[in-house]
Amino acid sequence: MAKKQFKAESKRLLEMMINSIYTQREIFLRELISNASDAVDKIYYKALTDENLVFNKEDYYIKVTADKVNRTLTIADTGIGMTKEDLENNLGVIAKSGSLAFKKENEAQDGHNIIGQFGVGFYSAFMVADVITVTSKALGSDEAFKWESTGAEGYTIVEANKDSVGTEIVLKIKDNTEEDQYDEFLEEFRLKAIIKKYSDFIRYPIKMDVTGKRPKEGEENEFEDYSEEQTVNSMVPIWRKNKNELTDADYENFYAEKRYGFDKPLKHIHLSVDGAVRYQAILYIPESTPFDYYTKEFEKGLELYSNGVLIMDKCSDLLPDYFGFVKGMVDSEDLSLNISREMLQHDRQLKLIAKNIQNKIKSQLQSLLKDEREKYEKFYQSFGRQLKFGVYNDYGMHKDVLQDLLMFYSSKEKKVVTLDEYVARMPEDQKFIYYASGESIERIEKLPQTEMVSDKGYEILYFTDDIDEFAIKMIMSYKDKEFKSVSSGDLGIEADEKDKESEAEANDNKELFESMQQFLSGKVKNVRASKRLKSHPVCLTTEGEVTIEMEKILNAMPNNPNVKADKVLEINVNHAVFQSLKDAHAKDQEKLNLYTSLLYNQALLIEGLPIGDPVEFTNDICKVMV
């Protein structure tokens, strides 16, 4: 029996494919099962045009059998089978796909689509097998043939005996080595897991002889092993079912089965799109954050299927980073896959799907915010930080998508509110959207800088997340209203009579402020009379883009950029402390310096900033007490 050689280019392709095309060996089973499914599909298509052929779906299946003793794994199907010529053309010429040719001749009907396209998947079996034997009997033929190969060396084709139509592939599994354990591909539980992972939604039954234990007849507390044939795949995926047939419980069960999370999803989105690109998807908005969500280890992405066959565990290109919390899957027959079917060729179809998914997620979140406020607030507690990062990243490119989804704690409402809600109730004379930053709501409520804005009856948004201010700087304005920190130099509030009196007082004591500024040279940019303080003696404000909170956050980073805000020490001229400053300025420069140092350190403490010299500070307090 003469061995036939693969063509030179086929031989090179086979060697390359075995060593590099596939990243995971387990893929071979997905490929062989997909080919088997194609073989059954071909009979189905043939039955559509051949009135003598009746297609009874119950008669068609795929059987996977492991034989540990002989180290063989068999994948058998009841599909259309192959003639000697088919074996020669399809298995003798690598990367010639019989399925692709058939697909071109017979356009998909009734939702049946041929899976195979490249014709290299079959050879992935050489990653785990020393010898592959294919025995096949074609529909309408009395003859059967056997194709056998040990890899790149070539193959043989001889006549064989086979009673039924279909194909049987027997893999002689490689022996274990120090580096590789091939035994796993003979283990029942491992084979079932691979089938469930990649081929759970193949439309025909995938059968296996499954072992179990049962009580031994006539014996108490004794059990015996038994084996029975079981279908190990689900066949009909939930996303191909009519939405009207499905309940919330069905979607929640699918979420749990796919291990998308240990929580219960807040909301699901079921899409079935038949437009420029056809796809189906089930997306979930989780209730709580995964433990590793805000770490580098977390991988975002949706499961990607092609005609029910899993192609990628996590396709990150289908989700923008700011919606990285969304879980779920997409199934499409229109995607361009690369030769190994493990990766996508980045094309127009993928971008269209991703854009549509982004719009659907935003729409669902807006509906949740409008109709189920409590649920949205629960979601926001878990993932609001991610939305803010989305606003900040890429220089604010996505702010228009995300700004209506943001929420911040309100000084008036005593709960989180949207920017739209804030702007809708702004008084006519209010020029800005005011905010205050701090480590907690409790600390912000005590900030001296909030006094004037609060007295005017204006609402203040509390920023307690380290990303908040950075995100707002990217938005800049919302509905033509700019954001303004209560600590910024100009609050845009017109002076009343009392303010005018304070201004006159400040002008009369110009030398006092200059003396204090000189003493604090290098620490503050200016010392001035405050227009915002009512009951507190002192506070720090800033000029320029960098605020005190931003300074703290930036300088807490691993690569400390040592960014400093331009600080201004503001003094309340209507507070009793100011009289002490005036007296000291008139009589005792040393005492003025002492008071200035105390007030500056007091302002630092209010802001949660470190005091330069704690010992000096405590000594200064003692000097005042003596």
Side-chain angles (χ1 to χ4, degrees):
M1 177 178 51
K3 181 175 280 191
K4 297 188 178 185
Q5 295 297 312
F6 290 114
K7 289 184 179 178
E9 64 274 15
S10 293
K11 187 173 179 178
R12 282 196 300 273
L13 179 58
L14 177 57
E15 288 169 341
M16 179 184 75
M17 190 208 60
I18 292 171
N19 294 312
S20 64
I21 285 184
Y22 292 96
T23 55
Q24 293 177 297
R25 288 198 186 96
E26 64 187 33
I27 295 291
F28 83 91
L29 191 54
R30 178 192 74 181
E31 295 297 310
L32 296 183
I33 288 173
S34 294
N35 290 345
S37 176
D38 287 348
V40 179
D41 275 342
K42 288 174 183 177
I43 292 187
Y44 170 80
Y45 281 114
K46 202 168 182 64
L48 294 175
T49 55
D50 187 345
E51 58 186 27
N52 297 317
L53 188 59
V54 178
F55 185 85
N56 294 316
K57 193 171 179 182
E58 296 74 26
D59 298 335
Y60 298 95
Y61 60 88
I62 299 157
K63 180 77 182 275
V64 177
T65 309
D67 181 343
K68 287 186 180 179
V69 176
N70 295 304
R71 294 189 70 77
T72 62
L73 180 65
T74 303
I75 297 92
D77 67 64
T78 56
I80 202 164
M82 288 180 278
T83 62
K84 183 179 181 181
E85 186 183 20
D86 292 334
L87 287 167
E88 183 78 56
N89 289 337
N90 295 340
L91 303 188
V93 181
I94 298 172
K96 176 174 179 180
S97 170
S99 292
L100 182 58
F102 192 91
K103 188 176 185 180
K104 286 176 179 175
E105 289 168 19
N106 303 272
E107 285 303 315
Q109 301 171 54
D110 296 351
H112 279 62
N113 296 286
I114 299 294
I115 299 164
Q117 291 181 40
F118 303 104
V120 300
F122 168 80
Y123 300 93
S124 62
F126 280 114
M127 292 190 293
V128 301
D130 288 323
V131 184
I132 300 177
T133 305
V134 180
T135 306
S136 193
K137 184 176 183 179
L139 182 69
S141 173
D142 295 326
E143 296 178 302
F145 292 90
K146 182 171 77 172
W147 180 98
E148 192 167 271
S149 176
T150 55
E153 291 77 19
Y155 61 92
T156 59
I157 298 178
V158 297
E159 286 188 27
N161 294 316
K162 192 174 189 309
D163 296 332
S164 57
V165 171
T167 300
E168 182 182 88
I169 301 172
V170 180
L171 310 181
K172 180 73 173 172
I173 300 298
K174 293 178 180 180
D175 290 326
N176 292 336
T177 65
E178 283 185 18
E179 295 84 20
D180 302 301
Q181 296 294 309
Y182 293 99
D183 282 357
E184 63 174 310
F185 302 114
L186 295 167
E187 294 292 343
E188 182 185 301
F189 74 92
R190 182 73 174 102
L191 294 170
K192 280 173 68 177
I194 296 170
I195 292 168
K196 289 294 283 182
K197 180 178 180 181
Y198 294 103
S199 309
D200 197 30
F201 306 116
I202 289 287
R203 64 181 66 88
Y204 306 107
I206 302 171
K207 299 181 179 183
M208 278 183 69
D209 292 328
V210 177
T211 54
K213 284 190 181 292
R214 63 186 172 198
K216 204 169 184 179
E217 197 175 332
E219 300 288 341
E220 198 175 333
N221 299 325
E222 279 196 41
F223 294 85
E224 62 180 0
D225 291 335
Y226 74 99
S227 179
E228 68 174 6
E229 189 176 75
Q230 289 181 7
T231 297
V232 294
N233 63 321
S234 305
M235 287 185 283
V236 182
I238 184 174
W239 60 84
R240 286 195 183 140
K241 292 179 180 176
N242 194 312
K243 295 177 199 177
N244 300 331
E245 299 171 15
L246 298 165
T247 64
D248 286 344
D250 291 322
Y251 289 108
E252 285 166 15
N253 289 338
F254 184 68
Y255 184 87
E257 283 167 15
K258 298 302 287 180
R259 294 186 174 85
Y260 290 143
F262 296 105
D263 58 342
K264 191 175 171 182
L266 279 175
K267 211 75 181 167
H268 67 262
I269 308 166
H270 189 162
L271 303 174
S272 189
V273 178
D274 194 6
V277 58
R278 293 167 295 175
Y279 70 93
Q280 292 160 311
I282 295 180
L283 311 172
Y284 293 96
I285 295 168
E287 181 181 72
S288 54
T289 28
F291 71 94
D292 61 344
Y293 187 70
Y294 289 109
T295 68
K296 288 179 181 177
E297 285 70 41
F298 181 81
E299 276 186 273
K300 73 173 175 73
L302 302 175
E303 285 187 318
L304 183 69
Y305 292 81
S306 176
N307 292 314
V309 177
L310 182 66
I311 302 301
M312 291 178 76
D313 269 328
K314 288 199 187 323
C315 181
S316 59
D317 292 324
L318 285 170
L319 284 177
D321 283 344
Y322 49 82
F323 288 154
F325 49 80
V326 173
K327 302 296 180 93
M329 52 66 55
V330 173
D331 186 6
S332 176
E333 61 196 63
D334 290 342
L335 292 173
S336 302
L337 305 176
N338 74 350
I339 197 168
S340 68
R341 285 201 294 223
E342 287 186 275
M343 291 174 286
L344 293 165
Q345 320 247 57
H346 296 275
D347 57 11
R348 190 178 60 86
Q349 290 97 331
L350 184 67
K351 286 175 182 169
L352 275 173
I353 294 174
K355 182 67 179 169
N356 197 10
I357 282 174
Q358 174 196 299
N359 292 339
K360 291 290 181 184
I361 294 168
K362 182 185 176 182
S363 174
Q364 184 67 70
L365 289 173
Q366 284 176 316
S367 297
L368 205 62
L369 174 59
K370 183 184 172 188
D371 304 324
E372 299 177 82
R373 180 68 171 237
E374 200 175 316
K375 271 191 178 181
Y376 186 82
E377 288 182 16
K378 202 170 192 179
F379 151 78
Y380 196 79
Q381 203 172 354
S382 296
F383 300 106
R385 184 181 175 86
Q386 182 68 19
L387 299 183
K388 295 170 199 172
F389 270 118
V391 169
Y392 174 71
N393 282 343
D394 299 324
Y395 305 100
M397 262 178 64
H398 314 293
K399 64 181 181 182
D400 291 338
V401 177
L402 299 171
Q403 59 188 9
D404 288 322
L405 299 172
L406 301 183
M407 302 186 93
F408 301 97
Y409 186 86
S410 158
S411 63
K412 269 192 176 177
E413 299 294 312
K414 304 299 179 188
K415 62 180 183 182
V416 287
V417 301
T418 65
L419 296 176
D420 186 58
E421 289 164 346
Y422 180 102
V423 171
R425 55 176 171 258
M426 279 174 64
E428 278 187 35
D429 65 335
Q430 185 178 337
K431 296 177 183 175
F432 300 107
I433 299 171
Y434 292 105
Y435 69 86
S437 302
E439 290 171 20
S440 66
I441 290 165
E442 293 72 29
R443 286 197 71 162
I444 294 174
E445 282 179 330
K446 294 174 183 173
L447 283 177
Q449 294 92 324
T450 62
E451 283 189 313
M452 184 179 187
V453 179
S454 295
D455 280 4
K456 272 286 185 180
Y458 298 156
E459 189 172 2
I460 302 170
L461 297 176
Y462 289 2
F463 289 178
T464 54
D465 245 349
D466 53 11
I467 188 66
D468 287 347
E469 249 188 309
F470 294 92
I472 288 304
K473 294 282 184 189
M474 286 298 174
I475 296 177
M476 292 187 289
S477 67
Y478 181 82
K479 294 195 173 177
D480 298 325
K481 295 289 184 181
E482 285 183 35
F483 291 90
K484 181 74 75 173
S485 168
V486 295
S487 298
S488 63
D490 177 20
L491 290 173
I493 297 173
E494 289 184 23
D496 55 21
E497 286 305 313
K498 196 169 184 182
D499 292 330
K500 287 173 183 173
E501 288 173 20
S502 300
E503 202 169 321
E505 178 81 9
N507 288 332
D508 291 342
N509 291 278
K510 196 174 178 183
E511 288 181 7
L512 164 62
F513 291 116
E514 285 174 355
S515 180
M516 293 176 74
Q517 185 179 337
Q518 193 174 352
F519 178 74
L520 294 173
S521 178
K523 295 177 180 177
V524 298
K525 193 173 182 182
N526 198 3
V527 178
R528 65 182 173 217
S530 180
K531 293 180 183 179
R532 77 194 75 222
L533 293 173
K534 300 293 178 183
S535 61
H536 291 82
V538 68
C539 74
L540 279 175
T541 61
T542 56
E543 292 178 354
E545 287 300 307
V546 181
T547 65
I548 290 169
E549 278 305 307
M550 290 171 81
E551 175 190 306
K552 286 196 283 187
I553 292 159
L554 289 168
N555 291 330
M557 289 179 176
N559 300 319
N560 186 337
N562 199 28
V563 173
K564 296 292 180 189
D566 288 332
K567 301 178 188 68
V568 175
L569 187 70
E570 292 197 0
I571 307 296
N572 184 355
V573 297
N574 298 309
H575 195 280
V577 160
F578 188 63
Q579 188 58 49
S580 298
L581 288 171
K582 287 200 293 184
D583 292 344
H585 180 245
K587 301 172 186 174
D588 188 343
Q589 182 64 39
E590 193 174 324
K591 187 171 274 192
L592 176 63
N593 291 345
L594 173 64
Y595 289 168
T596 301
S597 181
L598 280 170
L599 286 170
Y600 171 67
N601 283 320
Q602 184 181 335
L604 288 176
L605 285 171
I606 290 168
E607 291 299 329
L609 289 168
I611 292 172
D613 188 341
V615 174
E616 185 184 13
F617 177 58
T618 54
N619 287 339
D620 285 349
I621 292 172
C622 291
K623 287 175 189 174
V624 174
M625 295 172 71
V626 174

